[in-house]
Every structure is written in structure tokens, then in C-alpha cells.
Amino acid sequence: MGVAGVIKKVSKYGRNGCLTRIFQLNVVDPDNPSTVLAKLRVKPQQVHINARTLSLENVMFIYCPQNRMLKVDVPIKLVNTDQSPGVRKGGWISMERRTVQYHCLGSHVPPFIELDVAAMELETKLLVKDMPVPNGTRIAGNIFDSTVARIIPIDGASSVGGVDTCALFTNWALYHPH
């Protein structure tokens, strides 16, 4: 894959989505570019994009054989957001985590993890422990009780332990001006 191919893949999958894809990198002879010396399985480790021009500046790859264990930040994709009872009642989905780190074999790197939010009510949340674990992978670290997504009422009025948190913040803001 040449530079144009890398730019095309980053444009298609996005910077974070590209980090979970496996590519074939052809190592060519510098004196004779038509001669391929080796074909390697690689995974992008970092993608650098210019903040002003949004052009691709650098991609750092790591060698990714099929039997090697990798740490991969896998993007989360929410599905059935419009079918959620909490959204239909006027709530909105707050993404607490955009990615979750998995340990996986080079042959089992998931491009993304789909989370179905069709059954979520207002003020409910999905935790990392509720996420699917594809074959050949496991969730990295001790983050099982971390929140991935929650449905929050649009008006911001919610209660914690019977106390209206919106009113508490409003009162605090009145007595603590900037």
C-alpha cells in the first residue's frame, strides 16, 4: 500500500477507526521499487493529522503477526439509538468512553464493538462489563465498572439521592459568580 492508499484508508475509517485495522505493508527494494522484499501484517499505532490543514502527516505502524497478543483501543459504535425508550422520552445519550482497551490476538482484532441501546431508559447506563467480548479477545485492565454510555434527560433535571442536582448547581452558581 502506498501513501495514497494510507490516506484513503484514514479518510474512510477515521483516525481512531484506522487504529483497529490490519494492513499489509510491502517492503520494497529502494534501488528497484518494483521488487517486494517482504510482506508484513501491520497495525497503525499512531496517526498524526495536521490540525490546521487536516492532512495526514505520519502513520506509525507496529508489526502484527496473527499469533501475537496486542493491546488495542477499540472504538464503540452505538446502534438502535432512535429506538431507545429513554431517547423517545426526551433524553440524550452521553458517551462516557469512545473506546475500550482490549487484549487480542493479531488475527482477532475487532474493528469496533457494537452496543445496542434499544432497551435503555432515562438515567440508565451501560458499563464496560455489559460489553460483548469477541472471540480471541478480553477486556484489558480493571475497568469493568466504568460507564460507557448513559441516557440523560435533555432538561438536565436529575436527582441523586432525592436531591435535584440541577437546582443545586443553579444555587451554587448564584452564590459563586465568576
PDB file of all heavy atoms in Angstrom, residues 1 9-10 12-24 41-45 47 59-62 64 70 72-75 77 104 106 108-113:
ATOM      1  N   MET A   1       0.853  -1.167   0.000  1.00  0.00           N
ATOM      2  CA  MET A   1       0.000   0.000   0.000  1.00  0.00           C
ATOM      3  C   MET A   1       0.899   1.229   0.000  1.00  0.00           C
ATOM      4  O   MET A   1       1.802   1.356   0.814  1.00  0.00           O
ATOM      5  CB  MET A   1      -0.890  -0.034   1.247  1.00  0.00           C
ATOM      6  CG  MET A   1      -1.721   1.191   1.399  1.00  0.00           C
ATOM      7  SD  MET A   1      -2.692   1.295   2.921  1.00  0.00           S
ATOM      8  CE  MET A   1      -3.176  -0.348   3.241  1.00  0.00           C
ATOM      9  N   LYS A   9      -7.399   5.081   3.322  1.00  0.00           N
ATOM     10  CA  LYS A   9      -7.891   4.285   4.456  1.00  0.00           C
ATOM     11  C   LYS A   9      -8.178   5.168   5.670  1.00  0.00           C
ATOM     12  O   LYS A   9      -9.175   4.969   6.364  1.00  0.00           O
ATOM     13  CB  LYS A   9      -6.888   3.196   4.844  1.00  0.00           C
ATOM     14  CG  LYS A   9      -6.668   2.154   3.787  1.00  0.00           C
ATOM     15  CD  LYS A   9      -7.890   1.305   3.579  1.00  0.00           C
ATOM     16  CE  LYS A   9      -7.600   0.227   2.558  1.00  0.00           C
ATOM     17  NZ  LYS A   9      -8.749  -0.573   2.219  1.00  0.00           N
ATOM     18  N   VAL A  10      -7.325   6.144   5.961  1.00  0.00           N
ATOM     19  CA  VAL A  10      -7.564   7.043   7.091  1.00  0.00           C
ATOM     20  C   VAL A  10      -8.816   7.877   6.835  1.00  0.00           C
ATOM     21  O   VAL A  10      -9.612   8.105   7.747  1.00  0.00           O
ATOM     22  CB  VAL A  10      -6.331   7.941   7.364  1.00  0.00           C
ATOM     23  CG1 VAL A  10      -6.646   9.017   8.388  1.00  0.00           C
ATOM     24  CG2 VAL A  10      -5.151   7.100   7.833  1.00  0.00           C
ATOM     25  N   LYS A  12     -11.383   6.919   5.060  1.00  0.00           N
ATOM     26  CA  LYS A  12     -12.537   6.011   5.114  1.00  0.00           C
ATOM     27  C   LYS A  12     -12.905   5.641   6.549  1.00  0.00           C
ATOM     28  O   LYS A  12     -14.071   5.699   6.931  1.00  0.00           O
ATOM     29  CB  LYS A  12     -12.233   4.739   4.320  1.00  0.00           C
ATOM     30  CG  LYS A  12     -13.354   3.732   4.330  1.00  0.00           C
ATOM     31  CD  LYS A  12     -13.017   2.528   3.475  1.00  0.00           C
ATOM     32  CE  LYS A  12     -14.167   1.520   3.501  1.00  0.00           C
ATOM     33  NZ  LYS A  12     -13.861   0.347   2.679  1.00  0.00           N
ATOM     34  N   TYR A  13     -11.916   5.258   7.362  1.00  0.00           N
ATOM     35  CA  TYR A  13     -12.188   4.747   8.711  1.00  0.00           C
ATOM     36  C   TYR A  13     -12.035   5.792   9.806  1.00  0.00           C
ATOM     37  O   TYR A  13     -12.447   5.566  10.936  1.00  0.00           O
ATOM     38  CB  TYR A  13     -11.262   3.574   9.027  1.00  0.00           C
ATOM     39  CG  TYR A  13     -11.415   2.404   8.087  1.00  0.00           C
ATOM     40  CD1 TYR A  13     -10.344   1.930   7.353  1.00  0.00           C
ATOM     41  CD2 TYR A  13     -12.650   1.778   7.936  1.00  0.00           C
ATOM     42  CE1 TYR A  13     -10.478   0.859   6.497  1.00  0.00           C
ATOM     43  CE2 TYR A  13     -12.796   0.708   7.069  1.00  0.00           C
ATOM     44  CZ  TYR A  13     -11.698   0.248   6.358  1.00  0.00           C
ATOM     45  OH  TYR A  13     -11.843  -0.805   5.508  1.00  0.00           O
ATOM     46  N   GLY A  14     -11.422   6.921   9.514  1.00  0.00           N
ATOM     47  CA  GLY A  14     -11.151   7.926  10.538  1.00  0.00           C
ATOM     48  C   GLY A  14      -9.880   7.583  11.292  1.00  0.00           C
ATOM     49  O   GLY A  14      -9.356   6.478  11.194  1.00  0.00           O
ATOM     50  N   ARG A  15      -9.376   8.541  12.045  1.00  0.00           N
ATOM     51  CA  ARG A  15      -8.109   8.336  12.752  1.00  0.00           C
ATOM     52  C   ARG A  15      -8.204   7.197  13.762  1.00  0.00           C
ATOM     53  O   ARG A  15      -7.370   6.310  13.788  1.00  0.00           O
ATOM     54  CB  ARG A  15      -7.667   9.622  13.422  1.00  0.00           C
ATOM     55  CG  ARG A  15      -6.279   9.518  14.016  1.00  0.00           C
ATOM     56  CD  ARG A  15      -5.867  10.783  14.663  1.00  0.00           C
ATOM     57  NE  ARG A  15      -6.659  10.906  15.889  1.00  0.00           N
ATOM     58  CZ  ARG A  15      -6.653  11.961  16.675  1.00  0.00           C
ATOM     59  NH1 ARG A  15      -5.940  13.006  16.356  1.00  0.00           N
ATOM     60  NH2 ARG A  15      -7.363  11.993  17.760  1.00  0.00           N
ATOM     61  N   ASN A  16      -9.243   7.197  14.619  1.00  0.00           N
ATOM     62  CA  ASN A  16      -9.362   6.146  15.625  1.00  0.00           C
ATOM     63  C   ASN A  16      -9.793   4.816  15.030  1.00  0.00           C
ATOM     64  O   ASN A  16      -9.340   3.770  15.466  1.00  0.00           O
ATOM     65  CB  ASN A  16     -10.331   6.570  16.730  1.00  0.00           C
ATOM     66  CG  ASN A  16      -9.759   7.675  17.584  1.00  0.00           C
ATOM     67  OD1 ASN A  16      -8.556   7.788  17.724  1.00  0.00           O
ATOM     68  ND2 ASN A  16     -10.629   8.497  18.142  1.00  0.00           N
ATOM     69  N   GLY A  17     -10.665   4.837  14.056  1.00  0.00           N
ATOM     70  CA  GLY A  17     -11.106   3.601  13.413  1.00  0.00           C
ATOM     71  C   GLY A  17      -9.992   2.915  12.660  1.00  0.00           C
ATOM     72  O   GLY A  17      -9.983   1.690  12.525  1.00  0.00           O
ATOM     73  N   CYS A  18      -9.046   3.680  12.199  1.00  0.00           N
ATOM     74  CA  CYS A  18      -7.909   3.136  11.467  1.00  0.00           C
ATOM     75  C   CYS A  18      -6.976   2.344  12.393  1.00  0.00           C
ATOM     76  O   CYS A  18      -6.284   1.430  11.962  1.00  0.00           O
ATOM     77  CB  CYS A  18      -7.156   4.294  10.813  1.00  0.00           C
ATOM     78  SG  CYS A  18      -6.093   3.797   9.488  1.00  0.00           S
ATOM     79  N   LEU A  19      -6.980   2.675  13.688  1.00  0.00           N
ATOM     80  CA  LEU A  19      -6.063   2.041  14.632  1.00  0.00           C
ATOM     81  C   LEU A  19      -6.433   0.598  14.950  1.00  0.00           C
ATOM     82  O   LEU A  19      -5.662  -0.102  15.600  1.00  0.00           O
ATOM     83  CB  LEU A  19      -6.001   2.852  15.937  1.00  0.00           C
ATOM     84  CG  LEU A  19      -5.493   4.290  15.799  1.00  0.00           C
ATOM     85  CD1 LEU A  19      -5.531   5.001  17.143  1.00  0.00           C
ATOM     86  CD2 LEU A  19      -4.092   4.318  15.223  1.00  0.00           C
ATOM     87  N   THR A  20      -7.599   0.143  14.517  1.00  0.00           N
ATOM     88  CA  THR A  20      -8.008  -1.239  14.760  1.00  0.00           C
ATOM     89  C   THR A  20      -8.028  -2.064  13.478  1.00  0.00           C
ATOM     90  O   THR A  20      -8.574  -3.161  13.463  1.00  0.00           O
ATOM     91  CB  THR A  20      -9.402  -1.284  15.409  1.00  0.00           C
ATOM     92  OG1 THR A  20     -10.328  -0.648  14.535  1.00  0.00           O
ATOM     93  CG2 THR A  20      -9.397  -0.609  16.759  1.00  0.00           C
ATOM     94  N   ARG A  21      -7.456  -1.569  12.437  1.00  0.00           N
ATOM     95  CA  ARG A  21      -7.426  -2.281  11.152  1.00  0.00           C
ATOM     96  C   ARG A  21      -6.038  -2.889  10.928  1.00  0.00           C
ATOM     97  O   ARG A  21      -5.030  -2.318  11.314  1.00  0.00           O
ATOM     98  CB  ARG A  21      -7.740  -1.340   9.985  1.00  0.00           C
ATOM     99  CG  ARG A  21      -9.001  -0.541  10.137  1.00  0.00           C
ATOM    100  CD  ARG A  21     -10.222  -1.403  10.081  1.00  0.00           C
ATOM    101  NE  ARG A  21     -11.389  -0.582  10.401  1.00  0.00           N
ATOM    102  CZ  ARG A  21     -12.611  -0.888  10.066  1.00  0.00           C
ATOM    103  NH1 ARG A  21     -12.853  -1.979   9.415  1.00  0.00           N
ATOM    104  NH2 ARG A  21     -13.605  -0.109  10.402  1.00  0.00           N
ATOM    105  N   ILE A  22      -6.019  -4.040  10.299  1.00  0.00           N
ATOM    106  CA  ILE A  22      -4.767  -4.712   9.959  1.00  0.00           C
ATOM    107  C   ILE A  22      -4.518  -4.489   8.468  1.00  0.00           C
ATOM    108  O   ILE A  22      -5.415  -4.670   7.639  1.00  0.00           O
ATOM    109  CB  ILE A  22      -4.848  -6.228  10.263  1.00  0.00           C
ATOM    110  CG1 ILE A  22      -5.226  -6.469  11.722  1.00  0.00           C
ATOM    111  CG2 ILE A  22      -3.536  -6.912   9.906  1.00  0.00           C
ATOM    112  CD1 ILE A  22      -4.236  -5.947  12.725  1.00  0.00           C
ATOM    113  N   PHE A  23      -3.296  -4.093   8.146  1.00  0.00           N
ATOM    114  CA  PHE A  23      -2.916  -3.820   6.764  1.00  0.00           C
ATOM    115  C   PHE A  23      -1.729  -4.683   6.366  1.00  0.00           C
ATOM    116  O   PHE A  23      -1.004  -5.187   7.218  1.00  0.00           O
ATOM    117  CB  PHE A  23      -2.527  -2.341   6.593  1.00  0.00           C
ATOM    118  CG  PHE A  23      -3.634  -1.382   6.908  1.00  0.00           C
ATOM    119  CD1 PHE A  23      -3.646  -0.685   8.105  1.00  0.00           C
ATOM    120  CD2 PHE A  23      -4.663  -1.173   6.013  1.00  0.00           C
ATOM    121  CE1 PHE A  23      -4.659   0.196   8.406  1.00  0.00           C
ATOM    122  CE2 PHE A  23      -5.684  -0.287   6.302  1.00  0.00           C
ATOM    123  CZ  PHE A  23      -5.689   0.398   7.504  1.00  0.00           C
ATOM    124  N   GLN A  24      -1.533  -4.810   5.069  1.00  0.00           N
ATOM    125  CA  GLN A  24      -0.343  -5.476   4.555  1.00  0.00           C
ATOM    126  C   GLN A  24       0.616  -4.396   4.082  1.00  0.00           C
ATOM    127  O   GLN A  24       0.262  -3.560   3.255  1.00  0.00           O
ATOM    128  CB  GLN A  24      -0.687  -6.405   3.394  1.00  0.00           C
ATOM    129  CG  GLN A  24       0.539  -7.066   2.795  1.00  0.00           C
ATOM    130  CD  GLN A  24       0.177  -8.005   1.679  1.00  0.00           C
ATOM    131  OE1 GLN A  24      -0.666  -8.880   1.865  1.00  0.00           O
ATOM    132  NE2 GLN A  24       0.783  -7.819   0.519  1.00  0.00           N
ATOM    133  N   ARG A  41       2.261  -8.050   8.037  1.00  0.00           N
ATOM    134  CA  ARG A  41       0.978  -7.654   8.635  1.00  0.00           C
ATOM    135  C   ARG A  41       1.285  -6.572   9.652  1.00  0.00           C
ATOM    136  O   ARG A  41       2.080  -6.770  10.568  1.00  0.00           O
ATOM    137  CB  ARG A  41       0.326  -8.839   9.357  1.00  0.00           C
ATOM    138  CG  ARG A  41      -0.316  -9.837   8.452  1.00  0.00           C
ATOM    139  CD  ARG A  41      -0.841 -11.019   9.272  1.00  0.00           C
ATOM    140  NE  ARG A  41      -1.586 -10.654  10.442  1.00  0.00           N
ATOM    141  CZ  ARG A  41      -2.911 -10.507  10.490  1.00  0.00           C
ATOM    142  NH1 ARG A  41      -3.626 -10.697   9.419  1.00  0.00           N
ATOM    143  NH2 ARG A  41      -3.521 -10.167  11.617  1.00  0.00           N
ATOM    144  N   VAL A  42       0.659  -5.405   9.506  1.00  0.00           N
ATOM    145  CA  VAL A  42       0.911  -4.284  10.414  1.00  0.00           C
ATOM    146  C   VAL A  42      -0.407  -3.667  10.858  1.00  0.00           C
ATOM    147  O   VAL A  42      -1.435  -3.813  10.214  1.00  0.00           O
ATOM    148  CB  VAL A  42       1.809  -3.203   9.769  1.00  0.00           C
ATOM    149  CG1 VAL A  42       3.196  -3.738   9.464  1.00  0.00           C
ATOM    150  CG2 VAL A  42       1.174  -2.638   8.517  1.00  0.00           C
ATOM    151  N   LYS A  43      -0.333  -2.972  12.001  1.00  0.00           N
ATOM    152  CA  LYS A  43      -1.466  -2.241  12.546  1.00  0.00           C
ATOM    153  C   LYS A  43      -0.992  -0.835  12.850  1.00  0.00           C
ATOM    154  O   LYS A  43       0.068  -0.654  13.437  1.00  0.00           O
ATOM    155  CB  LYS A  43      -1.950  -2.912  13.833  1.00  0.00           C
ATOM    156  CG  LYS A  43      -3.159  -2.262  14.447  1.00  0.00           C
ATOM    157  CD  LYS A  43      -3.484  -2.866  15.782  1.00  0.00           C
ATOM    158  CE  LYS A  43      -2.840  -2.142  16.902  1.00  0.00           C
ATOM    159  NZ  LYS A  43      -3.121  -0.747  17.086  1.00  0.00           N
ATOM    160  N   PRO A  44      -1.730   0.195  12.440  1.00  0.00           N
ATOM    161  CA  PRO A  44      -1.339   1.556  12.815  1.00  0.00           C
ATOM    162  C   PRO A  44      -1.347   1.720  14.337  1.00  0.00           C
ATOM    163  O   PRO A  44      -2.303   1.318  14.999  1.00  0.00           O
ATOM    164  CB  PRO A  44      -2.390   2.449  12.165  1.00  0.00           C
ATOM    165  CG  PRO A  44      -2.979   1.615  11.081  1.00  0.00           C
ATOM    166  CD  PRO A  44      -2.906   0.211  11.573  1.00  0.00           C
ATOM    167  N   GLN A  45      -0.289   2.271  14.892  1.00  0.00           N
ATOM    168  CA  GLN A  45      -0.204   2.531  16.325  1.00  0.00           C
ATOM    169  C   GLN A  45      -0.578   3.983  16.619  1.00  0.00           C
ATOM    170  O   GLN A  45      -1.226   4.273  17.608  1.00  0.00           O
ATOM    171  CB  GLN A  45       1.211   2.234  16.831  1.00  0.00           C
ATOM    172  CG  GLN A  45       1.392   2.349  18.316  1.00  0.00           C
ATOM    173  CD  GLN A  45       0.648   1.260  19.077  1.00  0.00           C
ATOM    174  OE1 GLN A  45       0.300   0.235  18.540  1.00  0.00           O
ATOM    175  NE2 GLN A  45       0.383   1.507  20.333  1.00  0.00           N
ATOM    176  N   VAL A  47      -1.643   7.799  14.427  1.00  0.00           N
ATOM    177  CA  VAL A  47      -1.925   8.514  13.182  1.00  0.00           C
ATOM    178  C   VAL A  47      -1.864   9.993  13.511  1.00  0.00           C
ATOM    179  O   VAL A  47      -2.593  10.464  14.383  1.00  0.00           O
ATOM    180  CB  VAL A  47      -3.309   8.132  12.614  1.00  0.00           C
ATOM    181  CG1 VAL A  47      -3.619   8.944  11.374  1.00  0.00           C
ATOM    182  CG2 VAL A  47      -3.374   6.647  12.307  1.00  0.00           C
ATOM    183  N   VAL A  59       2.103   8.135   9.939  1.00  0.00           N
ATOM    184  CA  VAL A  59       1.467   6.953  10.488  1.00  0.00           C
ATOM    185  C   VAL A  59       2.575   6.046  11.009  1.00  0.00           C
ATOM    186  O   VAL A  59       3.525   5.758  10.293  1.00  0.00           O
ATOM    187  CB  VAL A  59       0.624   6.193   9.435  1.00  0.00           C
ATOM    188  CG1 VAL A  59       0.015   4.931  10.039  1.00  0.00           C
ATOM    189  CG2 VAL A  59      -0.452   7.080   8.861  1.00  0.00           C
ATOM    190  N   MET A  60       2.457   5.643  12.277  1.00  0.00           N
ATOM    191  CA  MET A  60       3.432   4.738  12.867  1.00  0.00           C
ATOM    192  C   MET A  60       2.782   3.359  12.960  1.00  0.00           C
ATOM    193  O   MET A  60       1.718   3.200  13.576  1.00  0.00           O
ATOM    194  CB  MET A  60       3.841   5.223  14.263  1.00  0.00           C
ATOM    195  CG  MET A  60       4.921   4.390  14.883  1.00  0.00           C
ATOM    196  SD  MET A  60       5.535   5.085  16.427  1.00  0.00           S
ATOM    197  CE  MET A  60       4.178   4.717  17.511  1.00  0.00           C
ATOM    198  N   PHE A  61       3.397   2.358  12.327  1.00  0.00           N
ATOM    199  CA  PHE A  61       2.875   1.001  12.303  1.00  0.00           C
ATOM    200  C   PHE A  61       3.631   0.126  13.294  1.00  0.00           C
ATOM    201  O   PHE A  61       4.795   0.371  13.589  1.00  0.00           O
ATOM    202  CB  PHE A  61       3.040   0.383  10.904  1.00  0.00           C
ATOM    203  CG  PHE A  61       2.191   1.022   9.842  1.00  0.00           C
ATOM    204  CD1 PHE A  61       2.734   1.938   8.961  1.00  0.00           C
ATOM    205  CD2 PHE A  61       0.854   0.696   9.717  1.00  0.00           C
ATOM    206  CE1 PHE A  61       1.960   2.519   7.970  1.00  0.00           C
ATOM    207  CE2 PHE A  61       0.070   1.267   8.726  1.00  0.00           C
ATOM    208  CZ  PHE A  61       0.624   2.180   7.847  1.00  0.00           C
ATOM    209  N   ILE A  62       2.953  -0.920  13.784  1.00  0.00           N
ATOM    210  CA  ILE A  62       3.629  -1.955  14.548  1.00  0.00           C
ATOM    211  C   ILE A  62       3.402  -3.286  13.837  1.00  0.00           C
ATOM    212  O   ILE A  62       2.378  -3.495  13.188  1.00  0.00           O
ATOM    213  CB  ILE A  62       3.162  -2.042  16.018  1.00  0.00           C
ATOM    214  CG1 ILE A  62       1.684  -2.384  16.123  1.00  0.00           C
ATOM    215  CG2 ILE A  62       3.471  -0.781  16.777  1.00  0.00           C
ATOM    216  CD1 ILE A  62       1.241  -2.735  17.523  1.00  0.00           C
ATOM    217  N   CYS A  64       2.387  -6.961  13.347  1.00  0.00           N
ATOM    218  CA  CYS A  64       1.213  -7.608  13.927  1.00  0.00           C
ATOM    219  C   CYS A  64       1.021  -9.025  13.369  1.00  0.00           C
ATOM    220  O   CYS A  64       0.117  -9.253  12.573  1.00  0.00           O
ATOM    221  CB  CYS A  64      -0.009  -6.740  13.636  1.00  0.00           C
ATOM    222  SG  CYS A  64      -1.532  -7.379  14.313  1.00  0.00           S
ATOM    223  N   LEU A  70      -1.970  -8.306  21.431  1.00  0.00           N
ATOM    224  CA  LEU A  70      -1.880  -6.851  21.291  1.00  0.00           C
ATOM    225  C   LEU A  70      -2.824  -6.157  22.254  1.00  0.00           C
ATOM    226  O   LEU A  70      -3.845  -6.717  22.649  1.00  0.00           O
ATOM    227  CB  LEU A  70      -2.280  -6.434  19.873  1.00  0.00           C
ATOM    228  CG  LEU A  70      -1.547  -7.040  18.707  1.00  0.00           C
ATOM    229  CD1 LEU A  70      -2.286  -6.714  17.421  1.00  0.00           C
ATOM    230  CD2 LEU A  70      -0.143  -6.505  18.643  1.00  0.00           C
ATOM    231  N   VAL A  72      -5.313  -3.073  22.128  1.00  0.00           N
ATOM    232  CA  VAL A  72      -5.952  -2.273  21.091  1.00  0.00           C
ATOM    233  C   VAL A  72      -7.095  -1.472  21.710  1.00  0.00           C
ATOM    234  O   VAL A  72      -7.933  -2.027  22.419  1.00  0.00           O
ATOM    235  CB  VAL A  72      -6.504  -3.173  19.963  1.00  0.00           C
ATOM    236  CG1 VAL A  72      -7.143  -2.340  18.878  1.00  0.00           C
ATOM    237  CG2 VAL A  72      -5.417  -4.051  19.378  1.00  0.00           C
ATOM    238  N   ASP A  73      -7.125  -0.160  21.451  1.00  0.00           N
ATOM    239  CA  ASP A  73      -8.247   0.686  21.843  1.00  0.00           C
ATOM    240  C   ASP A  73      -9.318   0.558  20.763  1.00  0.00           C
ATOM    241  O   ASP A  73      -9.184   1.113  19.674  1.00  0.00           O
ATOM    242  CB  ASP A  73      -7.815   2.141  22.003  1.00  0.00           C
ATOM    243  CG  ASP A  73      -6.953   2.357  23.217  1.00  0.00           C
ATOM    244  OD1 ASP A  73      -7.194   1.691  24.230  1.00  0.00           O
ATOM    245  OD2 ASP A  73      -6.037   3.186  23.162  1.00  0.00           O
ATOM    246  N   VAL A  74     -10.362  -0.196  21.068  1.00  0.00           N
ATOM    247  CA  VAL A  74     -11.407  -0.499  20.084  1.00  0.00           C
ATOM    248  C   VAL A  74     -12.532   0.531  20.191  1.00  0.00           C
ATOM    249  O   VAL A  74     -13.081   0.737  21.278  1.00  0.00           O
ATOM    250  CB  VAL A  74     -11.958  -1.927  20.303  1.00  0.00           C
ATOM    251  CG1 VAL A  74     -13.029  -2.257  19.285  1.00  0.00           C
ATOM    252  CG2 VAL A  74     -10.830  -2.956  20.241  1.00  0.00           C
ATOM    253  N   PRO A  75     -12.892   1.189  19.081  1.00  0.00           N
ATOM    254  CA  PRO A  75     -13.987   2.169  19.105  1.00  0.00           C
ATOM    255  C   PRO A  75     -15.334   1.516  19.414  1.00  0.00           C
ATOM    256  O   PRO A  75     -15.575   0.363  19.079  1.00  0.00           O
ATOM    257  CB  PRO A  75     -13.992   2.754  17.695  1.00  0.00           C
ATOM    258  CG  PRO A  75     -12.711   2.360  17.080  1.00  0.00           C
ATOM    259  CD  PRO A  75     -12.253   1.126  17.771  1.00  0.00           C
ATOM    260  N   LYS A  77     -19.415   1.620  18.894  1.00  0.00           N
ATOM    261  CA  LYS A  77     -20.438   2.085  17.956  1.00  0.00           C
ATOM    262  C   LYS A  77     -21.803   1.778  18.566  1.00  0.00           C
ATOM    263  O   LYS A  77     -22.122   0.615  18.818  1.00  0.00           O
ATOM    264  CB  LYS A  77     -20.268   1.362  16.611  1.00  0.00           C
ATOM    265  CG  LYS A  77     -21.243   1.764  15.552  1.00  0.00           C
ATOM    266  CD  LYS A  77     -20.957   0.984  14.273  1.00  0.00           C
ATOM    267  CE  LYS A  77     -21.933   1.336  13.199  1.00  0.00           C
ATOM    268  NZ  LYS A  77     -21.685   0.561  11.968  1.00  0.00           N
ATOM    269  N   CYS A 104      -5.995  -8.668  22.471  1.00  0.00           N
ATOM    270  CA  CYS A 104      -6.483  -9.583  21.448  1.00  0.00           C
ATOM    271  C   CYS A 104      -5.324 -10.116  20.620  1.00  0.00           C
ATOM    272  O   CYS A 104      -4.255  -9.504  20.548  1.00  0.00           O
ATOM    273  CB  CYS A 104      -7.513  -8.910  20.563  1.00  0.00           C
ATOM    274  SG  CYS A 104      -6.983  -7.376  19.825  1.00  0.00           S
ATOM    275  N   GLY A 106      -3.459 -10.986  17.117  1.00  0.00           N
ATOM    276  CA  GLY A 106      -3.354 -10.250  15.866  1.00  0.00           C
ATOM    277  C   GLY A 106      -4.352 -10.709  14.817  1.00  0.00           C
ATOM    278  O   GLY A 106      -4.713  -9.955  13.925  1.00  0.00           O
ATOM    279  N   HIS A 108      -7.439 -11.593  15.600  1.00  0.00           N
ATOM    280  CA  HIS A 108      -8.790 -11.335  16.099  1.00  0.00           C
ATOM    281  C   HIS A 108      -9.009  -9.887  16.542  1.00  0.00           C
ATOM    282  O   HIS A 108      -9.702  -9.629  17.519  1.00  0.00           O
ATOM    283  CB  HIS A 108      -9.095 -12.257  17.288  1.00  0.00           C
ATOM    284  CG  HIS A 108      -9.234 -13.692  16.917  1.00  0.00           C
ATOM    285  ND1 HIS A 108      -8.149 -14.537  16.857  1.00  0.00           N
ATOM    286  CD2 HIS A 108     -10.309 -14.424  16.571  1.00  0.00           C
ATOM    287  CE1 HIS A 108      -8.558 -15.734  16.510  1.00  0.00           C
ATOM    288  NE2 HIS A 108      -9.860 -15.694  16.323  1.00  0.00           N
ATOM    289  N   VAL A 109      -8.438  -8.933  15.846  1.00  0.00           N
ATOM    290  CA  VAL A 109      -8.608  -7.523  16.215  1.00  0.00           C
ATOM    291  C   VAL A 109      -9.966  -7.044  15.710  1.00  0.00           C
ATOM    292  O   VAL A 109     -10.200  -6.983  14.514  1.00  0.00           O
ATOM    293  CB  VAL A 109      -7.479  -6.639  15.632  1.00  0.00           C
ATOM    294  CG1 VAL A 109      -7.706  -5.179  15.977  1.00  0.00           C
ATOM    295  CG2 VAL A 109      -6.128  -7.099  16.122  1.00  0.00           C
ATOM    296  N   PRO A 110     -10.898  -6.708  16.634  1.00  0.00           N
ATOM    297  CA  PRO A 110     -12.208  -6.234  16.167  1.00  0.00           C
ATOM    298  C   PRO A 110     -12.106  -4.790  15.672  1.00  0.00           C
ATOM    299  O   PRO A 110     -11.477  -3.963  16.314  1.00  0.00           O
ATOM    300  CB  PRO A 110     -13.094  -6.321  17.424  1.00  0.00           C
ATOM    301  CG  PRO A 110     -12.151  -6.281  18.574  1.00  0.00           C
ATOM    302  CD  PRO A 110     -10.837  -6.820  18.095  1.00  0.00           C
ATOM    303  N   PRO A 111     -12.730  -4.458  14.542  1.00  0.00           N
ATOM    304  CA  PRO A 111     -12.676  -3.080  14.035  1.00  0.00           C
ATOM    305  C   PRO A 111     -13.458  -2.113  14.916  1.00  0.00           C
ATOM    306  O   PRO A 111     -13.137  -0.941  14.996  1.00  0.00           O
ATOM    307  CB  PRO A 111     -13.267  -3.161  12.637  1.00  0.00           C
ATOM    308  CG  PRO A 111     -14.044  -4.433  12.614  1.00  0.00           C
ATOM    309  CD  PRO A 111     -13.438  -5.351  13.633  1.00  0.00           C
ATOM    310  N   PHE A 112     -14.526  -2.603  15.572  1.00  0.00           N
ATOM    311  CA  PHE A 112     -15.325  -1.804  16.505  1.00  0.00           C
ATOM    312  C   PHE A 112     -16.186  -2.762  17.304  1.00  0.00           C
ATOM    313  O   PHE A 112     -16.329  -3.936  16.961  1.00  0.00           O
ATOM    314  CB  PHE A 112     -16.190  -0.758  15.781  1.00  0.00           C
ATOM    315  CG  PHE A 112     -17.077  -1.325  14.717  1.00  0.00           C
ATOM    316  CD1 PHE A 112     -18.331  -1.832  15.031  1.00  0.00           C
ATOM    317  CD2 PHE A 112     -16.667  -1.362  13.397  1.00  0.00           C
ATOM    318  CE1 PHE A 112     -19.152  -2.364  14.052  1.00  0.00           C
ATOM    319  CE2 PHE A 112     -17.476  -1.898  12.407  1.00  0.00           C
ATOM    320  CZ  PHE A 112     -18.727  -2.401  12.741  1.00  0.00           C
ATOM    321  N   ILE A 113     -16.764  -2.246  18.386  1.00  0.00           N
ATOM    322  CA  ILE A 113     -17.694  -3.024  19.201  1.00  0.00           C
ATOM    323  C   ILE A 113     -19.049  -2.337  19.121  1.00  0.00           C
ATOM    324  O   ILE A 113     -19.153  -1.135  19.366  1.00  0.00           O
ATOM    325  CB  ILE A 113     -17.230  -3.095  20.677  1.00  0.00           C
ATOM    326  CG1 ILE A 113     -15.873  -3.781  20.791  1.00  0.00           C
ATOM    327  CG2 ILE A 113     -18.283  -3.780  21.545  1.00  0.00           C
ATOM    328  CD1 ILE A 113     -15.868  -5.251  20.447  1.00  0.00           C
TER     329      ILE A 113
END
